[in-house]
């Protein structure tokens, strides 16, 4: 049996390396524009961590994470928009005091579901609760009836489609295809200048570490083990007396909350929210970030997200045509050749090399070569 | 919302919208037939199915251009040749994809989803590079234009009738192939018990390849039919893929009759509601209804009773 403590030596090492990279190396080496770009990428890393929990460990592939990302993002954007639409700021409109896109769509009153977002406290609660409730409803309806796998993926995808059509169609309430733009201040603190971007970057990194710790805790707890067991042999777990549906619902809700926090940080960092981050295409791209990093590795997912997005930005800047070919090839290569992504390459090729070097220097010091700390059931899902 | 229309008006509205729905139904059925074979029979999620359809549409477009420039006297009949070419092109590409990609993934259905999504991105960009980003439209031969007046208020376009006749024909052909031909029996045998089918001498690898090819080929025909009612662009396929998957899942994945029934109900619901509200709200309500029904009845409308 492994000891109950949830931070193993490899996890601590991983945290330290990531902390050095995100807190020291990147802020010192990048200008504010690039750092803000990293902040944008890291918002997807929240989604990727959630997907490691529910897809990698739980075997539940959700193609609707964009919905939760969007819910979190829109909650934040509604609060910021209301703050930006004070009577003085909007006095040239026909109805001052309401968001500009509502004015353009001949809506004269702030609709009821916008009202709670006058308060920052309620907004923060909503960012966490709204996606969780939504995920609970979907999860309960599906998992209680033992719908899973492919069918779950298709239905979450349909929900992503519904969400986008709804947001674009209800222009007066949601800003339509342009989304909610022109966001200015958070409690009077201007989010647009450079120093605010830097502060927001560090806040986001702090949240990210919180998310990583929570995910590691879940991974090493009994819950995480049950999730993995469920992925491998669902019926056996059910026959052992566990409520498979409840564990799945929990994992799905947790992943949704991670995605929503990412979405809220996205709105703060980038300064707008639009339906182009909600639909089917972004949702599937979020899955590929996780897959590239390694669907079984929390740290891998973060590096995967950063790497794919860096590649996307630099490739699509210089060769816009090549990017889609490259992304498509990446999907195929990851599935066919590296089902465990970067983390799998690391574990299979790089780490053994290190272990060999270490054991050469200190012969016989550790017969397992540090492997006893490695993830226990992290085999490839079904080879 | 019905208040301002008289009974007669409503009848005509339902008839007209019902007919518009029938054209949508035809496209759904043609696309979903291929998908039902690939997903229902083989368990592969082909996210690139829309791109196979668009390949058929581009082949039709090229054929029509060819006939216009070199064989204008035969232009009236180009469509039949275009459809055969579309079937061959999409089917051949499908078999190539099965050989290069899908056969490695039969035990990992969720991974086929990711891999074929990657394939669809590559195909989209390939279309964009080869044919340009702009949408292209096909010129229809003279006899397909115009419409038939049924009553004072109801008018039926000829190309719509042609698409529907085509749908009936293809559906009949597919069910014949799958349920009565020797090859179809082999397909169903492989689906039910791969090991046993192999043991009695069926070449399962070959069956897999041809089944996938057939599904993609039908998508090509769907694309060919699609050119008669809309224009084609590199990303047109993506618009239909989620709807088509819902059609297949809603009908019950392994049942061809279920696929047709669900395509019919979805297209009729959508097109009737479109008259009374905006198209996007009609779409949202239709999709929501499907998702809600699937939550109550996850196996779809017409599920085969099987032991798991």
């Amino acid at each position: 049996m492994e000891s109950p403590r949830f931070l193993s030596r490899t996890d601590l090492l991983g945290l330290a390396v990531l902390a050095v990279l995100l807190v020291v190396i990147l802020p010192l080496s990048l200008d504010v524009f690039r750092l803000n770009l990293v902040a944008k990428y890291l918002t997807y890393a929240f989604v990727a961590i959630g997907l490691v929990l529910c897809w990698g460990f739980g075997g539940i592939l959700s193609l609707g994470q964009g919905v939760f990302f969007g819910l979190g993002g829109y909650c934040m954007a509604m609060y910021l928009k209301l703050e930006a639409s004070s009577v003085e700021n909007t006095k040239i409109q026909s109805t001052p005091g309401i968001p500009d896109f509502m004015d353009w769509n001949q809506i004269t009153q702030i609709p009821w579901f916008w009202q709670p977002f006058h308060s920052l406290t309620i907004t923060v609660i909503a960012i966490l609760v709204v996606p969780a409730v939504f995920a609970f409803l979907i999860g309960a309806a599906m998992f209680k009836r033992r719908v899973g796998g492919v069918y779950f993926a298709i239905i979450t995808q349909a929900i992503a489609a519904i969400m986008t059509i709804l947001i674009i169609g209800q222009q007066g309430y949601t800003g339509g295809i342009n989304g909610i733009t022109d966001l200015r201040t958070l409690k009077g603190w201007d989010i647009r200048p450079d120093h605010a971007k830097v502060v927001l970057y560090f806040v986001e990194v702090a949240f990210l570490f919180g998310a990583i710790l929570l995910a590691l805790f879940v991974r090493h707890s009994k819950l995480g083990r049950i999730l993995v067991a469920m992925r491998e042999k669902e019926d056996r777990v059910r026959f052992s007396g566990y409520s498979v549906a409840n564990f799945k619902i929990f994992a799905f809700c947790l992943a949704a909350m991670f995605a929503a926090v990412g979405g809220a940080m996205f709105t703060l960092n980038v300064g707008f929210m639009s339906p182009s981050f909600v639909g089917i295409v972004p949702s599937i791209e979020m899955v590929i970030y996780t897959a590239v990093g390694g669907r079984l590795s929390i740290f891998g997912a973060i590096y995967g997200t950063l790497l794919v997005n860096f590649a996307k930005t630099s490739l699509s800047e210089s060769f816009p045509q090549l990017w889609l070919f490259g992304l498509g090839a990446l999907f195929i290569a990851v599935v066919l050749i590296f089902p465990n992504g970067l983390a799998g390459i690391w574990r299979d090729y790089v780490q053994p090399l290190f272990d060999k070097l270490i054991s050469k220097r200190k012969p016989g010091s550790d017969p397992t070569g540090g492997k006893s700390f490695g993830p226990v059931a992290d085999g490839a899902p079904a080879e | 919302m019905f208040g301002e229309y008289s009974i007669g008006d409503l009848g005509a509205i339902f008839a007209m919208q019902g007919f518009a729905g029938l054209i949508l139904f035809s496209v759904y059925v043609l696309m979903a037939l291929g998908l039902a074979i690939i997903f229902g029979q083989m368990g592969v999620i082909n996210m690139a199915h829309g791109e196979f359809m668009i390949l058929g549409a581009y082949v039709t477009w090229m054929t029509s251009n060819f006939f216009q420039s070199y064989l204008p006297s035969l232009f009236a009949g180009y469509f039949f040749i275009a459809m055969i070419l579309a079937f061959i092109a999409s089917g051949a590409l499908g078999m190539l994809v099965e050989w290069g990609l899908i056969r490695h993934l039969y035990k990992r259905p969720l991974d086929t989803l990711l891999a074929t999504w990657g394939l669809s991105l590559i195909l989209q960009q390939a279309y964009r590079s080869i044919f340009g980003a702009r949408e292209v439209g096909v010129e229809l031969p003279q006899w397909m234009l115009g419409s038939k007046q049924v009553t004072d208020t109801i008018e039926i376009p000829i190309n719509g009738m042609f698409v529907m006749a085509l749908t009936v024909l293809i559906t009949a052909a597919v069910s014949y192939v799958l349920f009565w031909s020797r090859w179809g029996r082999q397909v169903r045998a492989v689906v039910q018990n791969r090991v046993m089918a192999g043991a009695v001498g069926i070449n399962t690898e070959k069956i897999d390849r041809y089944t996938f090819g057939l599904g993609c080929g039908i998508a090509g025909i769907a694309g060919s039919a699609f050119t008669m009612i809309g224009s084609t662009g590199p990303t047109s396929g993506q618009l239909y893929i989620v709807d088509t998957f819902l059609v297949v899942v809603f009908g019950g994945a392994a049942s061809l009759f279920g696929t047709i029934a669900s395509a019919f109900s979805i297209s009729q619901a959508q097109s009737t509601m479109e008259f009374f509200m905006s198209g996007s709200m009609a779409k949202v309500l239709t999709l929501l209804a499907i998702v809600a029904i699937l939550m109550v009845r996850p196996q779809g409308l017409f599920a085969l009773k099987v032991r798991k």
Side-chain angles (χ1 to χ4, degrees), chain A residues 149-347:
Chain A
V150 173
Y151 292 88
F152 185 77
I154 291 172
I155 287 180
T156 46
Q157 191 171 41
I159 290 169
I162 294 172
M163 194 76 178
T164 339
I165 301 170
L166 200 63
I167 292 175
I168 294 174
Q170 298 298 310
Q171 205 171 9
Y173 300 117
T174 60
I177 190 114
N178 298 318
I180 299 180
T181 53
D182 196 20
L183 307 174
R184 295 169 191 178
T185 53
L186 176 73
K187 276 265 171 205
W189 178 65
D190 200 330
I191 60 168
R192 289 166 299 175
D194 282 354
H195 60 85
K197 299 274 183 213
V198 175
V199 172
L200 282 173
Y201 171 81
F202 283 107
V203 171
E204 183 180 341
V205 169
F207 279 150
L208 188 69
F209 276 97
I212 295 171
L213 285 176
L214 184 58
L216 283 173
F217 175 73
V218 170
R219 167 70 190 89
H220 291 287
S221 68
K222 193 177 165 192
L223 170 73
R225 283 152 202 274
I226 293 175
L227 278 179
V228 174
M230 244 162 37
R231 183 191 71 202
E232 298 300 330
K233 277 276 178 289
E234 190 176 319
D235 281 336
R236 286 195 194 169
V237 179
R238 185 176 290 129
F239 298 153
S240 310
Y242 292 101
S243 164
V244 167
N246 287 349
F247 285 106
K248 282 188 173 181
I249 294 170
F250 180 78
F252 187 52
C253 287
L254 200 61
M257 283 163 84
F258 279 161
V261 172
M265 285 315 296
F266 180 91
T267 305
L268 280 172
N269 272 308
V270 181
F272 74 98
M273 188 72 213
S274 90
S276 52
F277 305 101
V278 174
I280 295 167
V281 177
S283 299
I284 292 192
E285 274 191 26
M286 289 167 189
V287 172
I288 197 67
Y289 302 152
T290 314
V292 168
R295 60 186 81 168
L296 298 169
S297 163
I298 291 159
F299 292 108
I302 296 164
Y303 293 116
T305 312
L306 287 176
L307 212 72
V308 176
N309 278 297
F310 266 124
K312 181 177 184 171
T313 311
S314 49
L315 260 183
S316 56
E317 271 169 8
S318 30
F319 314 98
Q321 297 213 325
L322 278 183
W323 166 242
L324 267 188
F325 284 129
L327 187 65
L330 194 64
F331 269 90
I332 293 172
V334 163
V335 169
L336 274 190
I337 309 167
F338 310 112
N340 288 323
L342 289 174
I345 297 174
W346 172 266
R347 202 165 48 231

Side-chain angles (χ1 to χ4, degrees), chain A residues 46 60 72 84 94 110 116 143 251 276 284 303 339:
Chain A
F46 285 91
I60 313 159
S94 50
I110 295 174
F143 298 135
S276 52
I284 292 192
Y303 293 116

Side-chain angles (χ1 to χ4, degrees), chain A residues 145 147 150 157 280 331 335, chain B residues 47 108 114 242 295-296 298:
Chain A
R145 297 192 58 85
V147 180
V150 173
Q157 191 171 41
I280 295 167
F331 269 90
V335 169
Chain B
M47 292 301 281
R108 293 146 61 192
L114 290 179
V242 175
M295 283 174 173
V296 182

Side-chain angles (χ1 to χ4, degrees), chain A residues 55 59 61 63 137-138 141-142 145 147 149-151 153-155 157-159 161-162 165-166 169-170 280-281 284 287 291 295 320-321 324-325 327-329 331-332 335-336 339 382-383, chain B residues 39 45 47 100-101 104-105 107-115 117-119 121-122 124-126 128-129 238 242 245-246 249 253 280-281 283-284 287-288 291 294-299:
Chain A
W55 178 40
L61 176 55
L63 294 182
L137 289 178
I138 299 170
M142 307 286 290
R145 297 192 58 85
V147 180
V150 173
Y151 292 88
I154 291 172
I155 287 180
Q157 191 171 41
I159 290 169
I162 294 172
I165 301 170
L166 200 63
Q170 298 298 310
I280 295 167
V281 177
I284 292 192
V287 172
R295 60 186 81 168
Q321 297 213 325
L324 267 188
F325 284 129
L327 187 65
F331 269 90
I332 293 172
V335 169
L336 274 190
E383 280 289 308
Chain B
F39 176 58
I45 314 179
M47 292 301 281
L101 187 63
H104 306 290
L105 301 172
K107 285 177 190 151
R108 293 146 61 192
L110 283 177
D111 285 0
T112 60
L113 190 159
L114 290 179
W117 180 264
L119 177 71
L121 293 181
I122 292 177
Q124 276 172 31
Q125 186 55 47
R128 204 171 285 131
S129 306
Q238 223 168 44
V242 175
F245 263 111
L246 281 183
V249 171
S280 66
M281 276 317 282
K283 179 122 206 182
V284 166
L287 292 181
L288 269 182
V291 168
L294 278 179
M295 283 174 173
V296 182
R297 205 183 149 77
Q299 69 275 41

